[in-house]
């Protein structure tokens, strides 16, 4: 099974989140934290709206919260490109490519894993039903992002 995509959907009882004082997620390029980092980063950017100065401040804060591979990707992108209007969006795309380099093949593996009765995407011991449903919903959303051609049947045989 495609370990990178699947790891980001595994049940995590601890769910520890490291944040900066500004509330930005500290991110090192791990696939299992990518979607949370992307969501929170883009949400933070949305609060800036069209205020260019505020967007640049958020960009700088996001980069300060990067570690390891993620920080290296931002450095490779360069200050000028990061500070452009769509700099964070482009950084997110690069992080996605880094976290999930084989998206199409991993999407197929993720699809198969989602159908295993006792697999990593089945309800885990101690996991609430709401948490399980949320994780399955994230599985479907992630699957569609990775390969939009994958579909589920709308009919269910009883």
């Amino acid at each position: 099974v495609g370990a990178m995509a699947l790891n980001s959907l595994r049940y995590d009882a601890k769910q520890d989140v490291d944040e900066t004082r500004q509330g930005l997620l500290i991110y090192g390029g791990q696939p299992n934290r990518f979607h949370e980092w992307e969501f929170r980063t883009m949400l933070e950017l949305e609060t800036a709206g069209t205020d260019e100065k505020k967007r640049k401040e958020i960009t700088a804060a996001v980069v300060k919260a990067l570690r390891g591979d993620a920080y290296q990707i931002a450095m490779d992108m360069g200050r000028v490109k990061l500070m452009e209007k769509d700099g964070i969006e482009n950084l997110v795309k690069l992080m996605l490519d880094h976290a999930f380099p084989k998206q199409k093949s991993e999407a197929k593996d993720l699809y198969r894993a989602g159908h295993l009765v006792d697999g990593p995407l089945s309800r885990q011991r101690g996991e609430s039903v709401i948490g399980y449903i949320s994780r399955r919903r994230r599985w479907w959303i992630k699957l569609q992002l990775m390969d939009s051609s994958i579909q589920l049947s709308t009919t269910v045989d009883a």
Side-chain angles (χ1 to χ4, degrees), residues 107 110-111 139-148 150:
L110 190 60
Y111 178 85
W139 165 77
W140 178 247
I141 291 168
K142 178 177 284 197
L143 197 54
Q144 288 293 289
L145 288 172
M146 293 173 83
D147 186 352
S148 60
I150 293 177

Side-chain angles (χ1 to χ4, degrees), residues 5-158:
L6 190 56
N7 283 340
S8 68
L9 292 168
R10 290 188 189 276
Y11 173 62
D12 183 5
K14 294 185 287 179
Q15 295 182 350
D16 293 332
V17 175
D18 292 328
E19 297 178 343
T20 64
R21 289 183 187 163
Q22 295 82 17
L24 292 169
L25 189 66
I26 295 174
Y27 181 63
Q30 316 89 321
N32 63 326
R33 295 288 184 204
F34 171 78
H35 293 285
E36 182 180 7
W37 172 80
E38 175 195 29
F39 176 79
R40 292 176 65 172
T41 298
M42 296 308 292
L43 187 63
E44 191 71 28
L45 196 59
E46 289 292 321
T47 64
T50 57
D51 184 345
E52 191 173 328
K53 183 180 178 192
K54 197 170 183 181
R55 287 177 67 92
K56 287 184 177 190
E57 289 171 1
I58 291 170
T59 299
V62 165
V63 172
K64 286 178 187 175
L66 298 177
R67 304 290 184 270
D69 289 344
Y71 184 74
Q72 189 61 51
I73 290 167
M75 280 183 50
D76 291 347
M77 191 174 167
R79 291 187 318 260
V80 174
K81 288 191 184 229
L82 278 167
M83 290 299 169
E84 289 175 356
K85 184 178 179 183
D86 58 352
I88 288 291
E89 290 88 344
N90 291 332
L91 178 64
V92 168
K93 288 176 190 170
L94 289 173
M95 294 293 181
L96 175 67
D97 292 341
H98 170 77
F100 305 103
K102 302 173 188 170
Q103 286 190 47
K104 291 283 186 183
S105 65
E106 284 200 11
K108 290 175 185 172
D109 292 340
L110 190 60
Y111 178 85
R112 282 187 215 103
H115 288 82
L116 295 174
V117 175
D118 289 324
L121 291 170
S122 62
R123 187 169 173 217
Q124 303 297 309
R125 183 181 212 67
E127 183 177 20
S128 70
V129 173
I130 293 171
Y132 169 67
I133 291 169
S134 174
R135 199 161 51 91
R136 291 297 293 200
R137 189 171 288 131
R138 285 194 328 269
W139 165 77
W140 178 247
I141 291 168
K142 178 177 284 197
L143 197 54
Q144 288 293 289
L145 288 172
M146 293 173 83
D147 186 352
S148 60
S149 68
I150 293 177
Q151 297 295 318
L152 291 177
S153 173
T154 57
T155 61
V156 178
D157 295 333

